[in-house]
Amino acid sequence: MNNSEINSVFAHMPDFGFIAIGGSEAIDFLQSIITANVETLADGAMRQGALLTPQGRILTDFMIYRIAANEFILQCEADRSDDLYTRLRRYRLRRPVTIEKRNDLVCHIWWHLDMVPASMPNLFADPRDSALGYRYLGADANTLLGTHGAKPGNIDDWHAIRIAKAIPQGALDLTPERALMLEAGLDHLNAVDFEKGCYIGQEVTARTHYRGLVKRRLAPFVIDAIPQPSADIVLDESLIGTCKSVAPTSGDGAIALALVKLSDLHAIRKSVNNLSLTIDGHAAQLALPDWMLPLPALAKTDS
C-alpha cells in the first residue's frame, strides 16, 4: 500500500444518470452540439461540459468520460438525464451514432490521495482541481478502493472542497435555461473551447467571452451556520444574492456558492470590515479561490 493512500477516502455520488455515446461519428456529433472539446480528450480521461440553448444558456451540465476512441459516457444529474437523452437523440438525426442510457453504472469519488495505482481501469482523474481526486465508475468500489487503504467517507466533505474551489455542479448551481457558462467560471475549467468551431449556443458564448461582458460570478462564501439553499445573502441591508450549493464544514459552519454581481464582489473585497455581510442572518465571509483572483475589472456600466 502506498503511504499516500493511507488517509484517502471514497464516497458514492448519488442521484446521477449516465448516457453512453458511441459510433463512428460520435466525436463529430458531440463536437457539433456541446461546449467542451471531446476531440482533445484522451482515452481514459474526463472533462466537464454542457449543452446550451441557442441563446447560450445552460440546459444541462455533465462530466464527459472518454472510454475509448469512439466511446463516451456523459454523467449528469438523474432528474436531468431524461431531458438530455431526448435532446441528444433529437440532434443525432441520421448520424451513425448510438445513444443509450446506462443504468448499470455507479460513480464513486476517491480523494485525499497523491497517487493512484498504475493501470487501474475505470478510474478518471478530475482535471478541474487535484483536490477533487478521482472518479471510479463501477459497483465494486468498496472492495477495490478498500484494498488500497481508502476508507468510506461523506460525500458532503467532497462537496465542501468543490464549493471552496468555486466549481459548480448541477441545476442548483447552474439554473437551467438561465445560467451562463462564463458567469459560472466554466471557461476556466476547460468546459468550453473557443477554438473548436460551432456548437449550440456558441455565438453568444464567444461574444460574451471576447467582449468581456460578464457582470456576475459564482463565488464561495463561508458562513458560521448551515443555511438552506436559496438563503438570502445581504450586504449592508441590501440583498445581493441567494445561496446555491451548500455543504457543512468543520464545527457548525458551512460553505456555499452564490451568483453575485461582480460589482458587489469588488465592494466586499475593498470594504474589509467596513460592510456587514450576512447569510440567513449569520455572519459570512467571501472566500475566493486563487484562480478567481484578481477579479475582472468592472465594465463602465457597472462602475
Side-chain angles (χ1 to χ4, degrees):
M1 184 186 304
N2 191 299
N3 289 336
S4 65
E5 301 166 15
I6 292 175
N7 296 315
S8 68
V9 293
F10 70 95
H12 174 229
M13 177 173 278
D15 303 324
F16 277 80
F18 301 85
I19 299 172
I21 314 291
S24 60
E25 293 189 17
I27 294 174
D28 290 342
F29 169 62
L30 289 172
Q31 287 288 81
S32 68
I33 62 172
I34 70 173
T35 60
N37 192 331
V38 298
E39 193 170 68
T40 60
L41 187 62
D43 290 1
M46 74 176 192
R47 176 176 292 165
Q48 192 167 10
L51 180 66
L52 308 183
T53 68
Q55 295 76 32
R57 305 283 175 168
I58 296 174
L59 282 167
T60 308
D61 72 299
F62 38 74
M63 297 304 297
I64 310 156
Y65 302 83
R66 190 165 190 172
I67 307 301
N70 291 309
E71 295 180 28
F72 300 86
I73 297 288
L74 305 188
Q75 177 189 6
C76 70
E77 288 182 311
D79 59 2
R80 301 292 301 164
S81 62
D82 284 346
D83 181 73
L84 178 59
Y85 175 75
T86 299
R87 291 177 187 274
L88 291 172
R89 287 176 59 85
R90 183 184 306 157
Y91 289 129
R92 179 181 56 182
L93 301 176
R94 296 182 180 275
R95 291 177 184 262
V97 173
T98 60
I99 303 173
E100 300 175 339
K101 294 183 180 180
R102 289 290 304 274
N103 297 324
D104 58 311
L105 292 177
V106 179
C107 179
H108 288 78
I109 308 291
W110 187 16
W111 73 103
H112 285 334
L113 75 165
D114 299 321
M115 299 171 58
V116 295
S119 303
M120 181 181 285
N122 304 320
L123 190 68
F124 301 81
D126 195 320
R128 299 171 298 177
D129 193 283
S130 60
L132 296 179
Y134 296 76
R135 296 192 181 199
Y136 174 70
L137 298 186
D140 56 342
N142 287 47
T143 300
L144 179 62
L145 302 185
T147 62
H148 294 286
K151 306 296 183 183
N154 189 329
I155 194 64
D156 284 344
D157 295 339
W158 180 84
H159 281 298
I161 297 171
R162 174 182 66 80
I163 294 170
K165 301 293 185 178
I167 295 175
Q169 177 176 286
L172 183 58
D173 292 335
L174 304 167
T175 306
E177 300 190 57
R178 293 185 60 185
L180 294 170
M181 295 290 290
L182 306 190
E183 288 184 345
L186 290 170
D187 51 325
H188 292 275
L189 301 174
N190 211 19
V192 56
D193 189 307
F194 296 105
E195 305 297 330
K196 78 181 182 81
C198 293
Y199 54 87
I200 299 168
Q202 180 265 343
E203 183 178 353
V204 175
T205 304
R207 184 168 64 243
T208 302
H209 169 67
Y210 290 115
R211 294 184 180 179
L213 299 177
V214 178
K215 296 184 179 182
R216 295 175 177 80
R217 294 303 297 267
L218 270 179
F221 292 81
V222 175
I223 314 108
D224 63 4
I226 303 178
Q228 294 295 316
S230 78
D232 289 344
I233 303 174
V234 176
L235 181 64
D236 263 11
E237 301 184 357
S238 295
L239 178 66
I240 64 170
T242 57
C243 288
K244 292 182 176 287
S245 286
V246 177
T249 54
S250 57
D252 297 323
I255 189 165
L257 271 181
L259 184 65
V260 179
K261 285 184 179 179
L262 190 57
S263 56
D264 287 326
L265 295 179
H266 277 284
I268 294 169
R269 285 183 54 78
K270 290 178 180 178
S271 71
V272 188
N273 297 318
N274 296 328
L275 295 178
S276 170
L277 178 65
T278 62
I279 295 180
D280 201 22
H282 299 275
Q285 291 182 327
L286 179 64
L288 298 179
D290 290 343
W291 73 263
M292 290 187 69
L293 298 172
L295 286 171
L298 295 176
K300 292 182 179 179
T301 55
D302 294 333
S303 302

